[in-house]
Amino acid sequence: MKVYQSETQEYIDMPVIGKVRYVGESFGVDALTDGLEYFVVGILDQDYLRVVDDSEEDYLYPIDNPRPMDGSSVGGRWEIIEDSNGELEKIKYLMG
């Protein structure tokens, strides 16, 4: 999938691992919205999902409680929608 990179102002190809739904308090203008589905393009140290959020860029969100780093929202949780190679299933127990 092509993902926008604001630093270079271009789109780059990134492999999609799966798709998740965010369930929780919506936050940020271009972050996560309750009930929307998002593409996962990476997993970092079983602590963070690299998600293409509402900004159409990829950002890291905690696996156990996706929320803004500044604590301005209580966040929520992930539900697995698609898991093309089983990587998300391996960390499902961490997803709150």
Side-chain angles (χ1 to χ4, degrees), residues 7-96:
E7 302 86 32
T8 58
Q9 297 183 348
E10 64 185 359
Y11 286 86
I12 63 168
D13 283 317
M14 298 186 86
V16 174
I17 293 173
K19 190 185 285 187
V20 292
R21 176 181 296 117
Y22 172 70
V23 178
E25 183 178 293
S26 300
F27 61 90
V29 175
D30 289 328
L32 299 175
T33 302
D34 180 44
L36 291 187
E37 296 178 4
Y38 297 95
F39 290 104
V40 178
V41 294
I43 300 171
L44 181 65
D45 299 329
Q46 292 195 341
D47 293 320
Y48 295 93
L49 292 182
R50 184 173 296 279
V51 173
V52 180
D53 65 11
D54 294 341
S55 71
E56 297 183 2
E57 293 187 67
D58 60 301
Y59 285 96
L60 293 172
Y61 290 99
I63 290 172
D64 63 342
N65 179 10
R67 63 195 179 284
M69 297 297 181
D70 66 4
S72 60
S73 169
V74 296
R77 62 183 171 83
W78 301 114
E79 293 178 346
I80 298 171
I81 303 300
E82 293 176 17
D83 187 12
S84 56
N85 58 10
E87 288 187 54
L88 295 174
E89 189 63 36
K90 292 177 189 174
I91 59 167
K92 185 177 182 176
Y93 70 97
L94 298 170
M95 293 186 166

